[in-house]
Amino acid sequence: MVDPYAWLRDPDDPATVPHLEAENAWTEQVTARLDGLRSTIFEEIRTRTQEDDTSVPVRDGDWWYYGRTETGSSYPLHCRRRDRGDHSGPDGPESVFFDPNPLVEEGGYLALGVLDVSPDGNHLAYAVDRDGDERYELRFRDLRTGDEHAEVIPEVSYGFAWAADAGTCWYTLQDEASRPNRVLRHRLGDDPSHDVVVFTDDDDHFHVTVGPSRSRDVVAITAQSAVTTETWVLDAHHPDEAAQVVAAREHGIEYDVAHRPGELLVVSNHDGADDFAVWRASMNGMASAARSEWKLLVPHETGRRILGVEAFAGHTVVHGRSAGSSAMWLLDDSSGTLTPFEMDEPVGTIHPGTNPSFDTSIYRFGYQSLTVPASIIDQELATGERTVRKRQPVLGGFDPAQYQSAREWAVAADGTQVPISLVWRPDRVGDGPAPTVLYGYGAYEASMDPWFSVARLSLLDRGGVFAIAHVRGGGELGRHWYENGKFGAKPNSFSDFVACARHLVDTGRTSPDLLAARGGSAGGLLMGAVVNLAPELFRAVVAEVPFVDPLTTVLDPTLPLTVIEWDEWGDPLHDAEAYGWIRSYSPYENIRTDVRYPAILATAGLNDPRVGFHEPAKWVARLRDLVDGAVTSSLDERPVLFKVELGAGHGGPSGRYDAWRDEAFVLAFVLDALGLNR
């Protein structure tokens, strides 16, 4: 079709920004009657949050590091205190080594891509993004004097590592398509124009990053596409030496490494290990054994997805997934036996914590669920003894016993069972259908594991239910779950979500007039496809930074991420079959005129490098053109609304207060649609 809104792709078109400003004004006008509810929800979030708070200190070298928030400050202070000398805890006065608050104007955007202290504790590297386009400016600070180093390096990405000498470092630079493709070596005090390129990847399918090993002996350069990995290692003690490859890239083979003196532990899917296994590769200097000489340590087991391995001086921790849930195991290196980290709840999430020290007998991990706030737990590995170091405080009389969670299974159109995680407050939900928000994502093998949310309490305490549809395309049930929701099988993600919605309706938990759907980014594509597939099932839909014009985007290899995305969605530029399947589900191309759509709220960030603002802008405009009743000033008549952040990117507002206001805006829209606007 001829695209009547193609001009919106150009942010420099003189009509674009005025159009977006008009959209914001219209959305504000239509939702103005929700101002009071928005203010109430914001205050609920604020008063339930302990604004003055401190994270659990973590030891790294001679210092204990922690974050601290203060009432009225949007960003946390980064602090440290000296170790008392026996590694038992911090001692001495607090040092605030980085305060981001003075760097941003009121209501402005600020994100950190790098925040890394040198091994000797004397220098700080930090990289700042001020508009949300994820192009960072790298700077250095002398922590002994507080003075800034003269050099400034623009256009950096996320990866960074210090050498052992604490004066040399490596960082990544981006190309014109926002692809990190080069690793450079820098010496503190030198002119960045003299920095040495140590690695370049000219294949547009690959993104490059760099990072240190926990042992601090090795720095790893990783080039990764959606389906293939290649890792090179640098000697942290001899930073001028060239990188050496661990295993040359082979299409479809992924691997990740953890260093221990004399060896690498490798998590990979080679040799038919679809859900990944763990190998040991010996090292001679920086040269590692050939892949054919790796020794199998943890064999592949179908349905047990291994995601990573952490090597310490005296122990090894493996993390992954089992039976649809997150999992972690302590590995016996001699026998290959895995001992699970047991948790009490069946619907919860366990994940690695911050463990920078290589020589330690204590492992820190995190746990949370739909009813239990995020917790930081230390486990003494020799005895199994656990200490809860901190549980996220929730003020205002919060009692987790008042809430209930469950796991249910919907049956998809092809007979596949799809898990749903739910949470509600039984004393606020009656026997009949309840207002419900169904959330989904379903791409990149990303698992939407149950998480706790303070903001979500504003829904639950009003009698709402929150549910997560763990659709195919995610990684909840292993690699096959992902592969059955990508390429030509992508429609499974959409039909799975519809099956979950129908399950909630058919079991009497909710009804179409009481059901809202929510998703962002690739989950926004899910929302756009679902409202075309089954609009009658939903009263309202929130599509945040939604990927709703995928065909146009992945046809353009000059856009950020497009080429690497071909391994997720298909390459419609060179493959007619891929063009056909993307065209068949693209929300922008498949708007229907024979149905009544739910109320829709779409969001975007003008500087978003991941999903261009023009995608939801075009989608909303086209919906209004084609759908009867979409243009209305009444929330009762199911409008199509668009809210765009003109100074932010993919993640929306960056400061915590602005983020709470943004969430209050979305929740007010949803609660009003579901009749919970009290």
Side-chain angles (χ1 to χ4, degrees):
M1 71 176 186
V2 176
D3 187 350
Y5 294 104
W7 59 273
L8 273 170
R9 297 181 63 192
D10 182 6
D12 296 323
D13 187 300
T16 297
V17 171
H19 175 88
L20 300 178
E21 291 172 337
E23 286 282 12
N24 280 345
W26 176 249
T27 296
E28 184 56 41
Q29 177 182 328
V30 173
T31 62
R33 69 175 179 83
L34 299 181
D35 279 351
L37 181 58
R38 292 198 290 253
S39 296
T40 298
I41 295 171
F42 173 82
E43 284 301 312
E44 289 172 356
I45 297 171
R46 188 186 65 80
T47 56
R48 288 183 178 126
T49 302
Q50 185 167 305
E51 295 184 72
D52 292 321
D53 199 9
T54 302
S55 68
V56 180
V58 58
R59 184 179 66 84
D60 191 0
D62 295 331
W63 296 87
W64 289 79
Y65 292 85
Y66 56 95
R68 184 164 58 77
T69 56
E70 295 180 338
T71 299
S73 293
S74 292
Y75 301 90
L77 308 177
H78 298 271
C79 311
R80 65 180 184 174
R81 296 171 67 194
R82 285 271 185 190
D83 181 69
R84 61 171 53 107
D86 59 1
H87 296 173
S88 62
D91 192 19
E94 174 184 88
S95 171
V96 178
F97 66 89
F98 188 71
D99 179 2
N101 292 283
L103 300 180
V104 61
E105 297 178 0
E106 181 67 29
Y109 183 90
L110 183 75
L112 296 176
V114 173
L115 190 72
D116 205 330
V117 176
S118 60
D120 61 4
N122 291 336
H123 300 280
L124 172 69
Y126 67 98
V128 174
D129 168 19
R130 297 177 184 275
D131 57 21
D133 64 358
E134 299 181 44
R135 289 179 173 271
Y136 296 85
E137 187 177 77
L138 179 63
R139 295 176 179 267
F140 301 90
R141 178 178 297 172
D142 189 323
L143 295 180
R144 294 164 297 185
T145 65
D147 294 335
E148 297 286 313
H149 286 260
E151 63 264 39
V152 177
I153 307 174
E155 305 295 311
V156 304
S157 190
Y158 297 100
F160 183 87
W162 287 102
D165 64 13
T168 306
C169 62
W170 294 270
Y171 62 91
T172 60
L173 283 183
Q174 306 182 49
D175 63 15
E176 293 182 356
S178 298
R179 180 178 71 96
N181 68 329
R182 286 166 290 163
V183 176
L184 287 83
R185 184 177 68 242
H186 176 73
R187 180 74 186 175
L188 281 184
D190 286 356
D191 185 335
S193 65
H194 299 153
D195 289 354
V196 177
V197 177
V198 301
F199 185 85
T200 300
D201 199 311
D202 294 323
D203 189 334
D204 290 344
H205 291 82
F206 286 79
H207 285 199
V208 176
T209 190
V210 62
S213 65
R214 182 176 283 105
S215 68
R216 297 291 180 91
D217 294 329
V218 166
V219 168
I221 297 172
T222 302
Q224 187 166 23
S225 76
V227 297
T228 306
T229 312
E230 182 179 71
T231 296
W232 296 67
V233 290
L234 294 155
D235 189 336
H237 299 280
H238 299 91
D240 292 339
E241 294 186 359
Q244 297 196 41
V245 69
V246 174
R249 67 187 65 176
E250 295 182 19
H251 183 74
I253 301 300
E254 301 171 61
Y255 68 94
D256 188 29
V257 303
H259 177 261
R260 182 181 286 141
E263 66 180 15
L264 294 174
L265 299 182
V266 186
V267 173
S268 179
N269 64 338
H270 86 275
D271 200 23
D274 291 343
D275 278 326
F276 291 66
V278 181
W279 283 263
R280 177 186 281 120
S282 62
M283 294 187 76
N284 181 11
M286 288 296 105
S288 54
R291 184 181 275 139
S292 61
E293 298 175 4
W294 294 356
K295 305 300 183 183
L296 185 63
L297 192 56
V298 179
H300 171 257
E301 181 180 296
T302 299
R304 183 187 64 192
R305 175 68 163 96
I306 295 177
L307 294 170
V309 62
E310 297 180 273
F312 297 83
H315 62 275
T316 303
V317 175
V318 177
H319 44 94
R321 308 193 61 78
S322 180
S325 296
S326 59
M328 293 197 315
W329 303 269
L330 183 63
L331 171 64
D332 185 318
D333 290 341
S334 58
S335 67
T337 302
L338 293 175
T339 302
F341 285 69
E342 299 287 359
M343 299 307 297
D344 296 332
E345 288 185 290
V347 188
T349 301
I350 186 173
H351 60 85
T354 303
N355 294 279
S357 297
F358 182 64
D359 190 0
T360 178
S361 63
I362 296 174
Y363 184 78
R364 177 168 292 176
F365 64 95
Y367 177 80
Q368 61 183 311
S369 73
L370 292 170
T371 62
V372 176
S375 304
I376 302 298
I377 303 168
D378 284 352
Q379 179 164 320
E380 179 63 55
L381 295 175
T383 64
E385 181 182 355
R386 290 180 176 178
T387 303
V388 178
R389 295 298 182 189
K390 183 181 179 68
R391 175 165 288 172
Q392 175 190 0
V394 182
L395 309 181
F398 169 76
D399 179 2
Q402 293 181 320
Y403 303 86
Q404 184 174 335
S405 65
R407 172 68 55 81
E408 296 183 2
W409 298 80
V411 180
D414 62 359
T416 299
Q417 289 194 314
V418 182
I420 311 171
S421 299
L422 303 102
V423 62
W424 68 99
R425 184 169 167 170
D427 64 330
R428 301 290 172 88
V429 174
D431 295 331
T436 300
V437 177
L438 182 62
Y439 180 87
Y441 187 75
Y444 304 109
E445 203 179 356
S447 299
M448 295 296 105
D449 287 315
W451 74 96
F452 183 83
S453 167
V454 168
R456 187 188 300 138
L457 298 176
S458 293
L459 166 71
L460 304 182
D461 287 355
R462 286 175 169 81
V465 176
F466 179 78
I468 306 169
H470 302 285
V471 302
R472 281 173 284 186
E476 282 85 345
L477 292 172
R479 178 50 68 96
H480 83 283
W481 198 250
Y482 165 53
E483 292 178 340
N484 285 322
K486 64 180 294 190
F487 292 148
K490 186 62 200 171
N492 285 336
S493 303
F494 316 139
S495 58
D496 283 359
F497 192 88
V498 170
C500 291
R502 293 195 190 283
H503 171 87
L504 296 176
V505 171
D506 292 346
T507 56
R509 282 196 172 272
T510 190
S511 66
D513 281 340
L514 294 174
L515 181 58
R518 184 174 182 179
S521 195
L525 166 63
L526 178 67
M527 297 298 101
V530 162
V531 294
N532 289 337
L533 189 62
E536 72 282 357
L537 278 176
F538 306 97
R539 177 65 179 83
V541 168
V542 177
E544 295 168 285
V545 291
F547 186 42
V548 283
D549 190 18
L551 184 60
T552 303
T553 293
V554 295
L555 279 169
D556 186 353
T558 68
L559 292 176
L561 304 180
T562 287
V563 175
I564 196 172
E565 295 281 60
W566 287 344
D567 285 327
E568 176 74 22
W569 313 102
D571 176 5
L573 190 62
H574 304 102
D575 183 344
E577 184 179 17
Y579 183 99
W581 69 54
I582 298 172
R583 174 65 178 81
S584 72
Y585 65 69
S586 172
Y588 189 62
E589 272 80 21
N590 290 281
I591 296 171
R592 296 169 60 181
T593 59
D594 61 332
V595 296
R596 187 185 187 197
Y597 276 79
I600 292 174
L601 172 62
T603 69
L606 178 61
N607 302 320
D608 190 343
R610 297 175 181 266
V611 177
F613 71 90
H614 59 273
E615 295 204 29
K618 290 170 53 180
W619 180 56
V620 164
R622 193 69 174 150
L623 278 165
R624 295 212 192 99
D625 286 347
L626 298 178
V627 178
D628 183 40
V631 181
T632 175
S633 60
S634 170
L635 283 172
D636 296 327
E637 296 175 6
R638 303 192 178 191
V640 175
L641 302 176
F642 184 42
K643 180 176 180 286
V644 56
E645 294 291 337
L646 298 175
H650 197 63
S654 57
R656 59 174 176 166
Y657 295 105
D658 288 337
W660 295 347
R661 291 186 183 91
D662 191 61
E663 179 64 13
F665 187 98
V666 172
L667 279 175
F669 173 82
V670 171
L671 294 176
D672 182 71
L674 300 183
L676 296 176
N677 52 355
R678 56 185 181 275

